[in-house]
Amino acid sequence: MRIIDPHVHVWVNDPAYPWAPDNQNPPAEDASCEQLLEQMARHGTEKTVLVQVIHYKWDNRYAGACLKKYPDRFEGVCRVDPESPAAADDLSRWVEEYGFRGVRLSPGAGPEGDWFTRPGLDALWRRTRELKVPMCILTVQERLPDLERWIRKYEDVQVCVDHMARPSVEGADGAGNLLQLAQYPQVYVKISGAWAVSRESYPYRDTHAVVGQVYDAFGPERLMWGTDWPLVEQKCGYSGALDLVRSELGFLSDADREWILGRTVLRLWPFA
């Protein structure tokens, strides 16, 4: 069974790759791509998608350097400033010069995330379509109706919703806005980040029902796991994130796990 991790972050304390000017709490310890490769070797992970960490904001050079150094092991998702008139051209530069495949946007639920509704974002969506790269969205359930409008407008752009858009584990409709997106075949979901919404310790059994709802709606062919390394080390660790799919979600079959642990990832990130 191939194991391909679609969601990790990397960074180093190195003046060659300075933190974003407004980063008030930079990490003290490194999470380098070499450290990541050690984790991958330990757990049998074949390949990994590097998702640009917010500590660098729009400066994707460190992740880009990792892509160039280990092109057979990594794909990458960059960040660009979505409120900049140059956002589309910035995406092209990161894709063409460094080999990134995808861009991540993070609209919040409040007024600070209303840029996600503005026509100025059309240029970036059009560029993702031209470049044939996925649009990855980190957001919350309340913002998904806005995402649906973009999905309907750009139906040929692959969209990946990170961490199930943080569904509530209370009540039966905590992921209702996400389930609404299952009707669009170009939408994929990472079932990662259960520890962030759970009120229990590992294996986060209070999240299993909502993961089951997402599974029923999207099917395993549009779901993927993800460790969220190194952040996951503060919770269940890399091993726990992997075992959650391999052994704790009892409704999954072996065929389902093949899709979620690797085959689905290859639909968006085919690797070299």
Side-chain angles (χ1 to χ4, degrees), residues 134-135 137 147 151 157-162 164 178 181 184-191 214 218-224 259 263-265 267-269:
M135 176 73 79
I137 304 294
L147 175 58
I151 289 168
V157 173
Q158 291 177 312
V159 172
C160 184
V161 178
D162 291 345
M164 300 180 289
L178 177 61
L181 302 184
Y184 304 103
Q186 72 272 33
V187 178
Y188 296 77
V189 179
K190 292 175 188 168
I191 58 171
V214 175
F218 286 86
E221 298 90 349
R222 289 197 285 153
L223 300 184
M224 59 192 90
W259 280 105
R263 294 180 67 184
T264 302
V265 183
R267 288 185 157 185
L268 277 70
W269 295 282

PDB file of all heavy atoms in Angstrom, residues 134-135 137 147 151 157-162 164 178 181 184-191 214 218-224 259 263-265 267-269:
ATOM      1  N   PRO A 134      -3.806  22.692  -8.509  1.00  0.00           N
ATOM      2  CA  PRO A 134      -4.924  22.715  -7.564  1.00  0.00           C
ATOM      3  C   PRO A 134      -4.975  23.999  -6.749  1.00  0.00           C
ATOM      4  O   PRO A 134      -3.953  24.642  -6.488  1.00  0.00           O
ATOM      5  CB  PRO A 134      -4.647  21.508  -6.649  1.00  0.00           C
ATOM      6  CG  PRO A 134      -3.610  20.694  -7.353  1.00  0.00           C
ATOM      7  CD  PRO A 134      -2.825  21.641  -8.191  1.00  0.00           C
ATOM      8  N   MET A 135      -6.168  24.349  -6.340  1.00  0.00           N
ATOM      9  CA  MET A 135      -6.416  25.431  -5.398  1.00  0.00           C
ATOM     10  C   MET A 135      -6.722  24.784  -4.043  1.00  0.00           C
ATOM     11  O   MET A 135      -7.727  24.073  -3.896  1.00  0.00           O
ATOM     12  CB  MET A 135      -7.603  26.271  -5.853  1.00  0.00           C
ATOM     13  CG  MET A 135      -8.015  27.370  -4.885  1.00  0.00           C
ATOM     14  SD  MET A 135      -6.891  28.765  -4.836  1.00  0.00           S
ATOM     15  CE  MET A 135      -7.384  29.666  -6.315  1.00  0.00           C
ATOM     16  N   ILE A 137      -7.601  25.141  -0.051  1.00  0.00           N
ATOM     17  CA  ILE A 137      -8.309  26.113   0.779  1.00  0.00           C
ATOM     18  C   ILE A 137      -8.266  25.683   2.241  1.00  0.00           C
ATOM     19  O   ILE A 137      -8.737  24.611   2.608  1.00  0.00           O
ATOM     20  CB  ILE A 137      -9.778  26.259   0.337  1.00  0.00           C
ATOM     21  CG1 ILE A 137      -9.865  26.646  -1.145  1.00  0.00           C
ATOM     22  CG2 ILE A 137     -10.492  27.281   1.219  1.00  0.00           C
ATOM     23  CD1 ILE A 137      -9.322  28.015  -1.481  1.00  0.00           C
ATOM     24  N   LEU A 147     -16.796  29.663  -1.074  1.00  0.00           N
ATOM     25  CA  LEU A 147     -15.983  28.776  -1.899  1.00  0.00           C
ATOM     26  C   LEU A 147     -16.839  28.100  -2.970  1.00  0.00           C
ATOM     27  O   LEU A 147     -16.402  27.945  -4.124  1.00  0.00           O
ATOM     28  CB  LEU A 147     -15.314  27.711  -1.026  1.00  0.00           C
ATOM     29  CG  LEU A 147     -14.526  26.630  -1.771  1.00  0.00           C
ATOM     30  CD1 LEU A 147     -13.419  27.234  -2.624  1.00  0.00           C
ATOM     31  CD2 LEU A 147     -13.969  25.599  -0.790  1.00  0.00           C
ATOM     32  N   ILE A 151     -16.202  27.582  -6.976  1.00  0.00           N
ATOM     33  CA  ILE A 151     -16.174  26.245  -7.572  1.00  0.00           C
ATOM     34  C   ILE A 151     -17.115  26.173  -8.769  1.00  0.00           C
ATOM     35  O   ILE A 151     -16.782  25.598  -9.817  1.00  0.00           O
ATOM     36  CB  ILE A 151     -16.551  25.195  -6.509  1.00  0.00           C
ATOM     37  CG1 ILE A 151     -15.429  25.052  -5.481  1.00  0.00           C
ATOM     38  CG2 ILE A 151     -16.860  23.843  -7.154  1.00  0.00           C
ATOM     39  CD1 ILE A 151     -15.827  24.250  -4.252  1.00  0.00           C
ATOM     40  N   VAL A 157     -11.173  23.716 -12.288  1.00  0.00           N
ATOM     41  CA  VAL A 157     -10.060  23.850 -11.352  1.00  0.00           C
ATOM     42  C   VAL A 157     -10.236  22.831 -10.222  1.00  0.00           C
ATOM     43  O   VAL A 157     -11.298  22.791  -9.586  1.00  0.00           O
ATOM     44  CB  VAL A 157      -9.984  25.276 -10.764  1.00  0.00           C
ATOM     45  CG1 VAL A 157      -8.920  25.355  -9.670  1.00  0.00           C
ATOM     46  CG2 VAL A 157      -9.687  26.283 -11.860  1.00  0.00           C
ATOM     47  N   GLN A 158      -9.228  22.013  -9.986  1.00  0.00           N
ATOM     48  CA  GLN A 158      -9.277  21.085  -8.865  1.00  0.00           C
ATOM     49  C   GLN A 158      -9.139  21.861  -7.556  1.00  0.00           C
ATOM     50  O   GLN A 158      -8.266  22.722  -7.418  1.00  0.00           O
ATOM     51  CB  GLN A 158      -8.154  20.054  -8.965  1.00  0.00           C
ATOM     52  CG  GLN A 158      -8.314  19.066 -10.102  1.00  0.00           C
ATOM     53  CD  GLN A 158      -7.133  18.118 -10.186  1.00  0.00           C
ATOM     54  OE1 GLN A 158      -5.982  18.544 -10.156  1.00  0.00           O
ATOM     55  NE2 GLN A 158      -7.407  16.835 -10.303  1.00  0.00           N
ATOM     56  N   VAL A 159     -10.010  21.553  -6.610  1.00  0.00           N
ATOM     57  CA  VAL A 159     -10.032  22.237  -5.318  1.00  0.00           C
ATOM     58  C   VAL A 159      -9.839  21.208  -4.213  1.00  0.00           C
ATOM     59  O   VAL A 159     -10.483  20.146  -4.228  1.00  0.00           O
ATOM     60  CB  VAL A 159     -11.359  22.994  -5.111  1.00  0.00           C
ATOM     61  CG1 VAL A 159     -11.457  23.549  -3.691  1.00  0.00           C
ATOM     62  CG2 VAL A 159     -11.495  24.111  -6.134  1.00  0.00           C
ATOM     63  N   CYS A 160      -8.970  21.528  -3.270  1.00  0.00           N
ATOM     64  CA  CYS A 160      -8.749  20.644  -2.122  1.00  0.00           C
ATOM     65  C   CYS A 160      -9.046  21.412  -0.846  1.00  0.00           C
ATOM     66  O   CYS A 160      -8.436  22.446  -0.577  1.00  0.00           O
ATOM     67  CB  CYS A 160      -7.306  20.140  -2.109  1.00  0.00           C
ATOM     68  SG  CYS A 160      -6.982  18.960  -0.785  1.00  0.00           S
ATOM     69  N   VAL A 161     -10.009  20.932  -0.066  1.00  0.00           N
ATOM     70  CA  VAL A 161     -10.375  21.554   1.202  1.00  0.00           C
ATOM     71  C   VAL A 161      -9.530  20.914   2.307  1.00  0.00           C
ATOM     72  O   VAL A 161      -9.635  19.716   2.571  1.00  0.00           O
ATOM     73  CB  VAL A 161     -11.872  21.377   1.502  1.00  0.00           C
ATOM     74  CG1 VAL A 161     -12.226  22.001   2.847  1.00  0.00           C
ATOM     75  CG2 VAL A 161     -12.714  21.979   0.381  1.00  0.00           C
ATOM     76  N   ASP A 162      -8.702  21.731   2.936  1.00  0.00           N
ATOM     77  CA  ASP A 162      -7.803  21.226   3.975  1.00  0.00           C
ATOM     78  C   ASP A 162      -8.541  21.003   5.289  1.00  0.00           C
ATOM     79  O   ASP A 162      -9.392  21.807   5.692  1.00  0.00           O
ATOM     80  CB  ASP A 162      -6.660  22.210   4.207  1.00  0.00           C
ATOM     81  CG  ASP A 162      -5.692  22.273   3.036  1.00  0.00           C
ATOM     82  OD1 ASP A 162      -5.733  21.367   2.179  1.00  0.00           O
ATOM     83  OD2 ASP A 162      -4.893  23.227   2.972  1.00  0.00           O
ATOM     84  N   MET A 164     -10.883  19.276   6.392  1.00  0.00           N
ATOM     85  CA  MET A 164     -12.347  19.202   6.415  1.00  0.00           C
ATOM     86  C   MET A 164     -12.990  20.532   6.766  1.00  0.00           C
ATOM     87  O   MET A 164     -14.154  20.589   7.188  1.00  0.00           O
ATOM     88  CB  MET A 164     -12.844  18.113   7.381  1.00  0.00           C
ATOM     89  CG  MET A 164     -12.378  16.711   7.054  1.00  0.00           C
ATOM     90  SD  MET A 164     -12.983  15.459   8.213  1.00  0.00           S
ATOM     91  CE  MET A 164     -12.002  15.875   9.680  1.00  0.00           C
ATOM     92  N   LEU A 178     -19.552  21.570   4.145  1.00  0.00           N
ATOM     93  CA  LEU A 178     -18.590  20.773   3.388  1.00  0.00           C
ATOM     94  C   LEU A 178     -19.303  19.694   2.583  1.00  0.00           C
ATOM     95  O   LEU A 178     -18.989  19.477   1.401  1.00  0.00           O
ATOM     96  CB  LEU A 178     -17.580  20.131   4.339  1.00  0.00           C
ATOM     97  CG  LEU A 178     -16.553  19.203   3.689  1.00  0.00           C
ATOM     98  CD1 LEU A 178     -15.693  19.953   2.671  1.00  0.00           C
ATOM     99  CD2 LEU A 178     -15.681  18.549   4.750  1.00  0.00           C
ATOM    100  N   LEU A 181     -20.515  20.433  -0.847  1.00  0.00           N
ATOM    101  CA  LEU A 181     -19.553  20.505  -1.950  1.00  0.00           C
ATOM    102  C   LEU A 181     -19.307  19.155  -2.615  1.00  0.00           C
ATOM    103  O   LEU A 181     -18.635  19.104  -3.649  1.00  0.00           O
ATOM    104  CB  LEU A 181     -18.230  21.075  -1.446  1.00  0.00           C
ATOM    105  CG  LEU A 181     -18.270  22.457  -0.796  1.00  0.00           C
ATOM    106  CD1 LEU A 181     -16.867  22.910  -0.443  1.00  0.00           C
ATOM    107  CD2 LEU A 181     -18.972  23.472  -1.699  1.00  0.00           C
ATOM    108  N   TYR A 184     -19.748  18.415  -6.455  1.00  0.00           N
ATOM    109  CA  TYR A 184     -18.823  18.899  -7.476  1.00  0.00           C
ATOM    110  C   TYR A 184     -17.641  17.927  -7.577  1.00  0.00           C
ATOM    111  O   TYR A 184     -16.846  17.818  -6.643  1.00  0.00           O
ATOM    112  CB  TYR A 184     -18.330  20.298  -7.122  1.00  0.00           C
ATOM    113  CG  TYR A 184     -19.468  21.274  -6.921  1.00  0.00           C
ATOM    114  CD1 TYR A 184     -19.871  21.657  -5.635  1.00  0.00           C
ATOM    115  CD2 TYR A 184     -20.154  21.793  -8.009  1.00  0.00           C
ATOM    116  CE1 TYR A 184     -20.922  22.543  -5.447  1.00  0.00           C
ATOM    117  CE2 TYR A 184     -21.219  22.678  -7.831  1.00  0.00           C
ATOM    118  CZ  TYR A 184     -21.593  23.044  -6.552  1.00  0.00           C
ATOM    119  OH  TYR A 184     -22.646  23.911  -6.373  1.00  0.00           O
ATOM    120  N   PRO A 185     -17.505  17.232  -8.689  1.00  0.00           N
ATOM    121  CA  PRO A 185     -16.494  16.165  -8.778  1.00  0.00           C
ATOM    122  C   PRO A 185     -15.065  16.647  -8.708  1.00  0.00           C
ATOM    123  O   PRO A 185     -14.154  15.837  -8.475  1.00  0.00           O
ATOM    124  CB  PRO A 185     -16.786  15.521 -10.141  1.00  0.00           C
ATOM    125  CG  PRO A 185     -17.527  16.556 -10.920  1.00  0.00           C
ATOM    126  CD  PRO A 185     -18.307  17.338  -9.916  1.00  0.00           C
ATOM    127  N   GLN A 186     -14.831  17.944  -8.871  1.00  0.00           N
ATOM    128  CA  GLN A 186     -13.472  18.468  -8.824  1.00  0.00           C
ATOM    129  C   GLN A 186     -13.016  18.822  -7.414  1.00  0.00           C
ATOM    130  O   GLN A 186     -11.896  19.302  -7.222  1.00  0.00           O
ATOM    131  CB  GLN A 186     -13.332  19.702  -9.724  1.00  0.00           C
ATOM    132  CG  GLN A 186     -14.010  20.983  -9.218  1.00  0.00           C
ATOM    133  CD  GLN A 186     -15.455  21.128  -9.647  1.00  0.00           C
ATOM    134  OE1 GLN A 186     -16.180  20.139  -9.779  1.00  0.00           O
ATOM    135  NE2 GLN A 186     -15.885  22.360  -9.875  1.00  0.00           N
ATOM    136  N   VAL A 187     -13.863  18.574  -6.415  1.00  0.00           N
ATOM    137  CA  VAL A 187     -13.546  18.930  -5.035  1.00  0.00           C
ATOM    138  C   VAL A 187     -13.041  17.706  -4.279  1.00  0.00           C
ATOM    139  O   VAL A 187     -13.682  16.648  -4.283  1.00  0.00           O
ATOM    140  CB  VAL A 187     -14.765  19.531  -4.316  1.00  0.00           C
ATOM    141  CG1 VAL A 187     -14.416  19.853  -2.867  1.00  0.00           C
ATOM    142  CG2 VAL A 187     -15.237  20.785  -5.039  1.00  0.00           C
ATOM    143  N   TYR A 188     -11.904  17.884  -3.610  1.00  0.00           N
ATOM    144  CA  TYR A 188     -11.275  16.849  -2.795  1.00  0.00           C
ATOM    145  C   TYR A 188     -11.164  17.357  -1.362  1.00  0.00           C
ATOM    146  O   TYR A 188     -11.214  18.571  -1.112  1.00  0.00           O
ATOM    147  CB  TYR A 188      -9.880  16.515  -3.339  1.00  0.00           C
ATOM    148  CG  TYR A 188      -9.893  15.924  -4.731  1.00  0.00           C
ATOM    149  CD1 TYR A 188     -10.085  16.740  -5.856  1.00  0.00           C
ATOM    150  CD2 TYR A 188      -9.719  14.559  -4.928  1.00  0.00           C
ATOM    151  CE1 TYR A 188     -10.112  16.202  -7.131  1.00  0.00           C
ATOM    152  CE2 TYR A 188      -9.729  14.019  -6.213  1.00  0.00           C
ATOM    153  CZ  TYR A 188      -9.925  14.849  -7.303  1.00  0.00           C
ATOM    154  OH  TYR A 188      -9.950  14.308  -8.559  1.00  0.00           O
ATOM    155  N   VAL A 189     -10.995  16.426  -0.416  1.00  0.00           N
ATOM    156  CA  VAL A 189     -10.957  16.804   0.997  1.00  0.00           C
ATOM    157  C   VAL A 189      -9.837  16.059   1.706  1.00  0.00           C
ATOM    158  O   VAL A 189      -9.662  14.855   1.516  1.00  0.00           O
ATOM    159  CB  VAL A 189     -12.296  16.488   1.703  1.00  0.00           C
ATOM    160  CG1 VAL A 189     -12.222  16.869   3.184  1.00  0.00           C
ATOM    161  CG2 VAL A 189     -13.458  17.204   1.028  1.00  0.00           C
ATOM    162  N   LYS A 190      -9.093  16.799   2.529  1.00  0.00           N
ATOM    163  CA  LYS A 190      -8.153  16.157   3.447  1.00  0.00           C
ATOM    164  C   LYS A 190      -8.867  15.917   4.772  1.00  0.00           C
ATOM    165  O   LYS A 190      -9.397  16.858   5.375  1.00  0.00           O
ATOM    166  CB  LYS A 190      -6.928  17.045   3.677  1.00  0.00           C
ATOM    167  CG  LYS A 190      -6.036  17.206   2.457  1.00  0.00           C
ATOM    168  CD  LYS A 190      -4.927  18.209   2.748  1.00  0.00           C
ATOM    169  CE  LYS A 190      -4.150  18.524   1.486  1.00  0.00           C
ATOM    170  NZ  LYS A 190      -3.269  19.708   1.678  1.00  0.00           N
ATOM    171  N   ILE A 191      -8.886  14.669   5.205  1.00  0.00           N
ATOM    172  CA  ILE A 191      -9.534  14.337   6.479  1.00  0.00           C
ATOM    173  C   ILE A 191      -8.543  14.476   7.629  1.00  0.00           C
ATOM    174  O   ILE A 191      -8.719  13.883   8.693  1.00  0.00           O
ATOM    175  CB  ILE A 191     -10.153  12.918   6.452  1.00  0.00           C
ATOM    176  CG1 ILE A 191      -9.087  11.850   6.149  1.00  0.00           C
ATOM    177  CG2 ILE A 191     -11.275  12.857   5.430  1.00  0.00           C
ATOM    178  CD1 ILE A 191      -9.596  10.432   6.328  1.00  0.00           C
ATOM    179  N   VAL A 214     -18.234  12.602   5.873  1.00  0.00           N
ATOM    180  CA  VAL A 214     -17.449  13.101   4.740  1.00  0.00           C
ATOM    181  C   VAL A 214     -17.109  11.949   3.799  1.00  0.00           C
ATOM    182  O   VAL A 214     -17.177  12.086   2.567  1.00  0.00           O
ATOM    183  CB  VAL A 214     -16.186  13.821   5.246  1.00  0.00           C
ATOM    184  CG1 VAL A 214     -15.305  14.247   4.087  1.00  0.00           C
ATOM    185  CG2 VAL A 214     -16.566  15.027   6.108  1.00  0.00           C
ATOM    186  N   PHE A 218     -18.218  11.969  -0.157  1.00  0.00           N
ATOM    187  CA  PHE A 218     -17.202  12.155  -1.191  1.00  0.00           C
ATOM    188  C   PHE A 218     -16.657  10.836  -1.741  1.00  0.00           C
ATOM    189  O   PHE A 218     -16.214  10.789  -2.891  1.00  0.00           O
ATOM    190  CB  PHE A 218     -16.037  12.987  -0.647  1.00  0.00           C
ATOM    191  CG  PHE A 218     -16.351  14.444  -0.489  1.00  0.00           C
ATOM    192  CD1 PHE A 218     -16.950  14.922   0.672  1.00  0.00           C
ATOM    193  CD2 PHE A 218     -16.053  15.347  -1.494  1.00  0.00           C
ATOM    194  CE1 PHE A 218     -17.247  16.267   0.826  1.00  0.00           C
ATOM    195  CE2 PHE A 218     -16.342  16.693  -1.348  1.00  0.00           C
ATOM    196  CZ  PHE A 218     -16.948  17.152  -0.184  1.00  0.00           C
ATOM    197  N   GLY A 219     -16.692   9.780  -0.927  1.00  0.00           N
ATOM    198  CA  GLY A 219     -16.086   8.526  -1.352  1.00  0.00           C
ATOM    199  C   GLY A 219     -14.572   8.566  -1.195  1.00  0.00           C
ATOM    200  O   GLY A 219     -13.964   9.643  -1.203  1.00  0.00           O
ATOM    201  N   PRO A 220     -13.941   7.420  -1.053  1.00  0.00           N
ATOM    202  CA  PRO A 220     -12.496   7.392  -0.795  1.00  0.00           C
ATOM    203  C   PRO A 220     -11.653   7.957  -1.929  1.00  0.00           C
ATOM    204  O   PRO A 220     -10.544   8.434  -1.700  1.00  0.00           O
ATOM    205  CB  PRO A 220     -12.208   5.904  -0.581  1.00  0.00           C
ATOM    206  CG  PRO A 220     -13.301   5.201  -1.333  1.00  0.00           C
ATOM    207  CD  PRO A 220     -14.515   6.064  -1.150  1.00  0.00           C
ATOM    208  N   GLU A 221     -12.179   7.939  -3.154  1.00  0.00           N
ATOM    209  CA  GLU A 221     -11.419   8.427  -4.307  1.00  0.00           C
ATOM    210  C   GLU A 221     -11.198   9.934  -4.285  1.00  0.00           C
ATOM    211  O   GLU A 221     -10.417  10.461  -5.063  1.00  0.00           O
ATOM    212  CB  GLU A 221     -12.113   8.034  -5.612  1.00  0.00           C
ATOM    213  CG  GLU A 221     -12.229   6.544  -5.839  1.00  0.00           C
ATOM    214  CD  GLU A 221     -13.515   5.962  -5.257  1.00  0.00           C
ATOM    215  OE1 GLU A 221     -14.215   6.689  -4.489  1.00  0.00           O
ATOM    216  OE2 GLU A 221     -13.827   4.802  -5.567  1.00  0.00           O
ATOM    217  N   ARG A 222     -11.915  10.644  -3.387  1.00  0.00           N
ATOM    218  CA  ARG A 222     -11.719  12.098  -3.285  1.00  0.00           C
ATOM    219  C   ARG A 222     -11.280  12.516  -1.887  1.00  0.00           C
ATOM    220  O   ARG A 222     -11.311  13.708  -1.545  1.00  0.00           O
ATOM    221  CB  ARG A 222     -12.996  12.830  -3.703  1.00  0.00           C
ATOM    222  CG  ARG A 222     -13.254  12.744  -5.192  1.00  0.00           C
ATOM    223  CD  ARG A 222     -14.258  13.783  -5.642  1.00  0.00           C
ATOM    224  NE  ARG A 222     -15.621  13.416  -5.250  1.00  0.00           N
ATOM    225  CZ  ARG A 222     -16.597  14.299  -5.044  1.00  0.00           C
ATOM    226  NH1 ARG A 222     -16.356  15.596  -5.137  1.00  0.00           N
ATOM    227  NH2 ARG A 222     -17.811  13.879  -4.742  1.00  0.00           N
ATOM    228  N   LEU A 223     -10.862  11.543  -1.091  1.00  0.00           N
ATOM    229  CA  LEU A 223     -10.368  11.840   0.261  1.00  0.00           C
ATOM    230  C   LEU A 223      -8.897  11.496   0.368  1.00  0.00           C
ATOM    231  O   LEU A 223      -8.405  10.561  -0.270  1.00  0.00           O
ATOM    232  CB  LEU A 223     -11.137  11.048   1.312  1.00  0.00           C
ATOM    233  CG  LEU A 223     -12.646  11.272   1.421  1.00  0.00           C
ATOM    234  CD1 LEU A 223     -13.202  10.457   2.585  1.00  0.00           C
ATOM    235  CD2 LEU A 223     -12.979  12.748   1.582  1.00  0.00           C
ATOM    236  N   MET A 224      -8.190  12.245   1.196  1.00  0.00           N
ATOM    237  CA  MET A 224      -6.791  11.943   1.485  1.00  0.00           C
ATOM    238  C   MET A 224      -6.494  12.286   2.938  1.00  0.00           C
ATOM    239  O   MET A 224      -7.189  13.091   3.552  1.00  0.00           O
ATOM    240  CB  MET A 224      -5.860  12.693   0.536  1.00  0.00           C
ATOM    241  CG  MET A 224      -5.992  14.181   0.562  1.00  0.00           C
ATOM    242  SD  MET A 224      -5.123  14.985  -0.825  1.00  0.00           S
ATOM    243  CE  MET A 224      -6.437  15.006  -2.055  1.00  0.00           C
ATOM    244  N   TRP A 259      -6.769   4.274  -1.388  1.00  0.00           N
ATOM    245  CA  TRP A 259      -7.080   5.577  -1.960  1.00  0.00           C
ATOM    246  C   TRP A 259      -6.647   6.697  -1.018  1.00  0.00           C
ATOM    247  O   TRP A 259      -5.941   7.625  -1.415  1.00  0.00           O
ATOM    248  CB  TRP A 259      -8.577   5.693  -2.246  1.00  0.00           C
ATOM    249  CG  TRP A 259      -9.006   5.031  -3.509  1.00  0.00           C
ATOM    250  CD1 TRP A 259      -9.687   3.854  -3.647  1.00  0.00           C
ATOM    251  CD2 TRP A 259      -8.784   5.518  -4.843  1.00  0.00           C
ATOM    252  NE1 TRP A 259      -9.899   3.575  -4.971  1.00  0.00           N
ATOM    253  CE2 TRP A 259      -9.358   4.576  -5.734  1.00  0.00           C
ATOM    254  CE3 TRP A 259      -8.162   6.645  -5.364  1.00  0.00           C
ATOM    255  CZ2 TRP A 259      -9.320   4.744  -7.117  1.00  0.00           C
ATOM    256  CZ3 TRP A 259      -8.128   6.819  -6.744  1.00  0.00           C
ATOM    257  CH2 TRP A 259      -8.690   5.877  -7.605  1.00  0.00           C
ATOM    258  N   ARG A 263      -3.458   6.882  -3.316  1.00  0.00           N
ATOM    259  CA  ARG A 263      -3.943   6.985  -4.699  1.00  0.00           C
ATOM    260  C   ARG A 263      -4.662   8.306  -4.987  1.00  0.00           C
ATOM    261  O   ARG A 263      -4.513   8.877  -6.064  1.00  0.00           O
ATOM    262  CB  ARG A 263      -4.854   5.796  -5.028  1.00  0.00           C
ATOM    263  CG  ARG A 263      -4.131   4.447  -5.038  1.00  0.00           C
ATOM    264  CD  ARG A 263      -5.078   3.305  -5.363  1.00  0.00           C
ATOM    265  NE  ARG A 263      -5.564   3.391  -6.748  1.00  0.00           N
ATOM    266  CZ  ARG A 263      -6.467   2.553  -7.259  1.00  0.00           C
ATOM    267  NH1 ARG A 263      -6.982   1.586  -6.500  1.00  0.00           N
ATOM    268  NH2 ARG A 263      -6.843   2.684  -8.515  1.00  0.00           N
ATOM    269  N   THR A 264      -5.438   8.800  -4.024  1.00  0.00           N
ATOM    270  CA  THR A 264      -6.124  10.071  -4.241  1.00  0.00           C
ATOM    271  C   THR A 264      -5.128  11.212  -4.390  1.00  0.00           C
ATOM    272  O   THR A 264      -5.310  12.109  -5.232  1.00  0.00           O
ATOM    273  CB  THR A 264      -7.100  10.375  -3.090  1.00  0.00           C
ATOM    274  OG1 THR A 264      -8.055   9.314  -2.974  1.00  0.00           O
ATOM    275  CG2 THR A 264      -7.843  11.681  -3.334  1.00  0.00           C
ATOM    276  N   VAL A 265      -4.091  11.195  -3.586  1.00  0.00           N
ATOM    277  CA  VAL A 265      -3.086  12.263  -3.647  1.00  0.00           C
ATOM    278  C   VAL A 265      -2.535  12.395  -5.064  1.00  0.00           C
ATOM    279  O   VAL A 265      -2.324  13.501  -5.569  1.00  0.00           O
ATOM    280  CB  VAL A 265      -1.949  11.988  -2.649  1.00  0.00           C
ATOM    281  CG1 VAL A 265      -0.942  13.148  -2.664  1.00  0.00           C
ATOM    282  CG2 VAL A 265      -2.485  11.774  -1.245  1.00  0.00           C
ATOM    283  N   ARG A 267      -3.921  12.026  -7.791  1.00  0.00           N
ATOM    284  CA  ARG A 267      -4.831  12.692  -8.725  1.00  0.00           C
ATOM    285  C   ARG A 267      -4.560  14.189  -8.802  1.00  0.00           C
ATOM    286  O   ARG A 267      -4.800  14.817  -9.833  1.00  0.00           O
ATOM    287  CB  ARG A 267      -6.279  12.471  -8.296  1.00  0.00           C
ATOM    288  CG  ARG A 267      -6.777  11.043  -8.531  1.00  0.00           C
ATOM    289  CD  ARG A 267      -8.243  10.932  -8.201  1.00  0.00           C
ATOM    290  NE  ARG A 267      -8.846   9.800  -8.903  1.00  0.00           N
ATOM    291  CZ  ARG A 267     -10.143   9.517  -8.889  1.00  0.00           C
ATOM    292  NH1 ARG A 267     -10.982  10.300  -8.219  1.00  0.00           N
ATOM    293  NH2 ARG A 267     -10.615   8.485  -9.550  1.00  0.00           N
ATOM    294  N   LEU A 268      -4.060  14.762  -7.732  1.00  0.00           N
ATOM    295  CA  LEU A 268      -3.762  16.192  -7.706  1.00  0.00           C
ATOM    296  C   LEU A 268      -2.267  16.474  -7.834  1.00  0.00           C
ATOM    297  O   LEU A 268      -1.879  17.495  -8.389  1.00  0.00           O
ATOM    298  CB  LEU A 268      -4.298  16.827  -6.415  1.00  0.00           C
ATOM    299  CG  LEU A 268      -5.777  17.216  -6.399  1.00  0.00           C
ATOM    300  CD1 LEU A 268      -6.661  15.973  -6.380  1.00  0.00           C
ATOM    301  CD2 LEU A 268      -6.095  18.105  -5.218  1.00  0.00           C
ATOM    302  N   TRP A 269      -1.458  15.570  -7.278  1.00  0.00           N
ATOM    303  CA  TRP A 269      -0.012  15.739  -7.298  1.00  0.00           C
ATOM    304  C   TRP A 269       0.630  14.468  -7.851  1.00  0.00           C
ATOM    305  O   TRP A 269       0.997  13.562  -7.088  1.00  0.00           O
ATOM    306  CB  TRP A 269       0.504  16.059  -5.895  1.00  0.00           C
ATOM    307  CG  TRP A 269      -0.005  17.379  -5.404  1.00  0.00           C
ATOM    308  CD1 TRP A 269       0.445  18.616  -5.748  1.00  0.00           C
ATOM    309  CD2 TRP A 269      -1.088  17.606  -4.473  1.00  0.00           C
ATOM    310  NE1 TRP A 269      -0.263  19.597  -5.119  1.00  0.00           N
ATOM    311  CE2 TRP A 269      -1.220  19.010  -4.322  1.00  0.00           C
ATOM    312  CE3 TRP A 269      -1.942  16.768  -3.751  1.00  0.00           C
ATOM    313  CZ2 TRP A 269      -2.172  19.583  -3.485  1.00  0.00           C
ATOM    314  CZ3 TRP A 269      -2.882  17.328  -2.936  1.00  0.00           C
ATOM    315  CH2 TRP A 269      -2.994  18.727  -2.794  1.00  0.00           C
TER     316      TRP A 269
END
